[in-house]
């Protein structure tokens, strides 16, 4: 695990965007695994800036998003479909057919999850997987528990996650109770992983990820076993290291 501690959120966003743009410049048809949430917003806005400045071209890039809430329409402002179009896809030149986001409304969820994993494999696997981290150590929506799932699957969101994500909704009652997420196996198979964390609220999860035991109680701790995992954390998120 390589850990970069940067001063603040802006530095984190710039460093992350530089790394993603570098990946795409090195391999124009790179397969990117993408995350949503507050943390990568600054990175996406910097990538949009780099694109408009002619510093990166996404025309051959293929993307797979980590997760989506169950039950929200893709036009819902809190859906991850909406988020991705709003922050990135509407502003860069990734072909629509190259974009993959799990559906939270598939009639046959098991079949959908299987197909999602098959599409990742058919694309050649993920070159660079971007991750945020939950206050409870989740990555994607792989929540702490007794065991972790390998492939894309349906999950029940934990109480902590519902509470943490209620800031995006009018109340905690409106936060969906379920989500579809890529599994730990799919994440760990990525050739490179970039985990971003900002702010004091993530400090404990970052300490457990870096210094704790590898345990399904802290899904991000499995990144200790990945050969090319990079963490970019700001001072506050690194404050308990
Ligand atoms: C989102 C995702 C989640 C978030 C995590 C942190 O696609 O997979 O694991 O990365 O919940 O969210 P923020 O960045 O909002 O603190």
């Amino acid at each position: 695990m390589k850990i970069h501690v940067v001063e603040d959120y802006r530095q984190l966003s710039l460093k992350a965007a530089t790394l993603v743009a570098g990946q795409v410049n090195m391999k124009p048809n790179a397969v990117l695994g993408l995350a949503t949430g507050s943390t990568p917003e600054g990175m996406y806005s910097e990538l949009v800036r780099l694109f408009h400045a002619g510093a990166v071209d996404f025309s051959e890039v293929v993307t797979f998003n980590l997760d989506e809430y169950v039950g929200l329409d893709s036009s819902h402002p809190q859906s991850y479909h909406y988020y991705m179009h709003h922050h990135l896809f509407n502003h860069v030149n990734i072909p629509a057919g190259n974009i993959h986001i799990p559906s939270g409304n598939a009639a046959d969820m098991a079949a959908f999850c299987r197909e999602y994993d098959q599409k990742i494999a058919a694309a050649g696997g993920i070159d660079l997987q971007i991750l945020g981290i939950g206050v409870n150590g989740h990555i994607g929506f792989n929540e702490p528990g007794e065991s972790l799932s390998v492939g894309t699957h349906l999950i029940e969101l934990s109480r902590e996650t519902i509470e943490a994500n209620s800031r995006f909704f009018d109340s905690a009652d409106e936060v969906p109770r379920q989500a579809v997420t890529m599994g730990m196996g799919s994440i760990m198979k990525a050739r490179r992983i970039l985990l971003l964390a900002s702010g004091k609220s993530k400090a404990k999860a970052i300490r457990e990820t870096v210094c704790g035991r590898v345990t399904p109680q802290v899904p991000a701790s499995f990144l200790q076993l990945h050969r090319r995992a990079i963490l970019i954390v700001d001072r506050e998120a690194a404050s308990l290291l």
Side-chain angles (χ1 to χ4, degrees):
M1 223 184 227
K2 224 183 197 163
I3 305 166
H4 297 279
V5 180
V6 295
E7 198 48 45
D8 54 20
Y9 180 68
R10 178 160 166 75
Q11 294 305 319
L12 174 148
S13 303
L14 296 182
K15 197 169 181 63
T18 303
L19 211 139
V20 174
Q23 167 72 67
V24 173
N25 285 333
M26 191 170 66
K27 183 179 177 191
N29 61 350
V31 179
L32 302 179
L34 300 179
T36 61
S38 313
T39 313
E41 281 181 16
M43 177 193 77
Y44 289 135
S45 99
E46 177 61 10
L47 282 172
V48 170
R49 195 192 67 75
L50 289 173
F51 170 70
H52 287 301
V56 62
D57 171 24
F58 293 96
S59 60
E60 294 177 51
V61 163
V62 176
T63 66
F64 287 91
N65 262 82
L66 278 169
D67 41 21
E68 178 59 286
Y69 288 119
V70 166
L72 295 189
D73 193 80
S74 56
S75 62
H76 189 292
Q78 295 311 331
S79 77
Y80 291 165
H81 279 74
Y82 184 95
Y83 172 106
M84 286 310 304
H85 286 84
H86 180 71
H87 290 289
L88 185 68
F89 298 148
N90 288 349
H91 313 289
V92 299
N93 63 343
I94 304 174
N98 289 6
I99 292 170
H100 306 86
I101 307 177
S103 167
N105 293 305
D108 183 343
M109 197 51 92
F112 176 84
C113 290
R114 263 196 316 278
E115 279 164 27
Y116 201 70
D117 290 337
Q118 283 161 3
K119 283 184 189 162
I120 296 174
I126 291 171
D127 290 302
L128 177 62
Q129 175 66 56
I130 313 296
L131 297 174
I133 183 169
V135 289
N136 62 1
H138 74 211
I139 48 179
F141 276 139
N142 293 279
E143 296 283 32
E146 293 306 310
S147 62
L148 292 166
S149 299
V150 174
T152 302
H153 61 288
L154 183 72
I155 53 103
E156 305 290 323
L157 292 171
S158 71
R159 205 169 22 84
E160 289 105 314
T161 301
I162 292 170
E163 205 170 288
N165 289 8
S166 65
R167 69 190 194 280
F168 298 115
F169 292 81
D170 288 338
S171 73
D173 289 345
E174 286 182 25
V175 183
R177 269 28 190 179
Q178 293 183 313
V180 188
T181 182
M182 262 162 63
M184 285 299 293
S186 315
I187 293 171
M188 291 296 285
K189 263 189 248 158
R191 286 183 270 284
R192 271 201 306 168
I193 295 179
L194 176 59
L195 182 139
L196 309 177
S198 169
K200 270 216 154 51
S201 67
K202 301 294 173 66
K204 181 167 168 283
I206 287 298
R207 188 187 54 200
E208 290 173 348
T209 297
V210 175
C211 313
R213 277 191 312 129
V214 176
T215 163
Q217 298 296 344
V218 183
S221 65
F222 278 79
L223 299 181
Q224 291 177 28
L225 307 177
H226 195 282
R227 294 175 60 167
R228 297 184 76 199
I230 303 168
L231 270 58
I232 305 180
V233 291
D234 65 13
R235 285 214 177 278
E236 289 191 352
S239 58
L240 296 179
L241 288 181

